Structures are given as C-alpha cells and as structure tokens.
Amino acid sequence: MRFKAFVVLFFTLLMNGCAMMGDRTVNISEAQLQKKLNERLAIPISLLKIFDVNLSNSTVKFDSKTGRMMTSMDASLTSVLSNKVLAGKLDISGKLRFDAPTNSIVLDEPKVESLNLDGLGSKYGEFFNLIAQKLGGEMLNGLPLYTVKPEDLTVGSTRYNPKEMQITDNGLQITLSPIR
C-alpha cells in the first residue's frame, strides 16, 4: 500500500516538475553559422544566365548593437561573355529570424554592403556594386542558414517553440518556451 502511494506521489511530482519546466536557451556560435553558410554557398549562383558567382570562405560576425549578422566572403565571378575570372570580396549584412515551418534560422533583410572585384575600374566597379545590391538582396532574402536540432526543440515529452532570438557579441541566443 505504501509502495503504491509512493509511486503515485512520485509520478505526480514528476508530472508537476515537467509541467513547470521553464524557458531554455540554445546558443549558436559564429563558427557554427559560418560552417553552415559555407556549406550552403558551395554551389555557384547563376545570375541572369550570364554570370556565375562562387562564394566561399565566409567570416561571420554578430553585431549586438545593430542586431545584424555581418558576413565577408571571397567572391569570384565568371561570365559567358568573357574567359576572365574576377575575384574579390563580398560583404553582406542581415537580420536573422526563426522560420517555424522549417525550424531554421533564415537571413532577413539582407543588404550587400560592398562588392570589390580586382581588376575592375571604378566605372565597372560601381556598376557591379549596383547589380549586387539589387539582385543580392532579393536572392539572399529568406536564405536558410541553420536548422535548429530536433533535440533542442524537444526535451522528454515537452516540445518547445522559439520565444525570442537575440544577437550577442558571442553568438546567436534563442530562448525557447515550452508549449503548454
């Protein structure tokens, strides 16, 4: 009889403890996001069926003051119009948001800060910067950067949803709240 009472009390306490589980935090570092971004951008991007853009070696930095992710990467541009390969740097920034249907962190409001290709004069450099700013923002908007692991969204039988996402100087911090 005491054993049954103990078991009932134990499970009651366990259930109450699970029901009172609070928010939890998942941290994603710059290095983790950088690795996923490099994997995502390993495939060349075709622009207007004229240019192929290869992006690699991204460096991700979080700016807690502006709430934006800053990324610098190597860029090379080839064209069907020329055999010449133009190489340089592409700098982009953007906000991050959580996309619930895919459980992913996606790039939001991206902005091409600069595109500097070696061997271009100022006239052509300005032209390519304008194209990069116009097309780059449209093409990169909504780009999935990182998928939150299923084990981060479920603990035992408790499922969690993102409540808040904050960029800190050390990385991206996602606060998850239990679904009640």
Side-chain angles (χ1 to χ4, degrees), residues 2-3 5 20-21 28 36 40 44 51 56 68 75 83 100 113 118 120 131 136 139-140 145 155 159 176 178:
R2 286 185 179 178
F3 180 72
M20 295 187 323
M21 289 181 90
I28 302 169
K36 292 295 184 181
R40 168 73 65 198
F51 301 104
S56 61
R68 293 178 74 84
N83 291 339
E113 299 291 340
D118 300 330
L120 289 181
I131 289 175
M139 291 181 69
L140 296 172
L145 300 174
V155 175
R159 177 110 171 101
L176 303 168

Side-chain angles (χ1 to χ4, degrees), residues 55 66-73 89-96 106-115 129-143 145:
L55 302 172
T66 63
R68 293 178 74 84
M69 177 185 80
M70 312 299 279
T71 307
S72 180
M73 57 192 78
K89 287 283 190 190
L90 173 68
D91 296 320
I92 61 170
S93 70
K95 291 186 176 183
L96 301 176
V106 298
L107 187 60
D108 204 25
E109 299 178 28
K111 179 180 177 191
V112 174
E113 299 291 340
S114 67
L115 172 64
N129 256 299
L130 285 172
I131 289 175
Q133 288 172 359
K134 178 65 178 151
L135 294 177
E138 291 174 14
M139 291 181 69
L140 296 172
N141 196 38
L143 178 72
L145 300 174

Side-chain angles (χ1 to χ4, degrees), residues 1-19:
M1 186 69 145
R2 286 185 179 178
F3 180 72
K4 285 183 181 179
F6 174 76
V7 170
V8 169
L9 179 62
F10 175 76
F11 280 113
T12 302
L13 290 173
L14 182 65
M15 296 304 265
N16 283 337
C18 289

Side-chain angles (χ1 to χ4, degrees), residues 18-38:
C18 289
M20 295 187 323
M21 289 181 90
D23 292 350
R24 46 190 316 258
T25 302
V26 174
N27 292 301
I28 302 169
S29 70
E30 292 172 342
Q32 287 173 299
L33 205 53
Q34 188 170 291
K35 180 180 181 225
K36 292 295 184 181
L37 185 58
N38 283 330

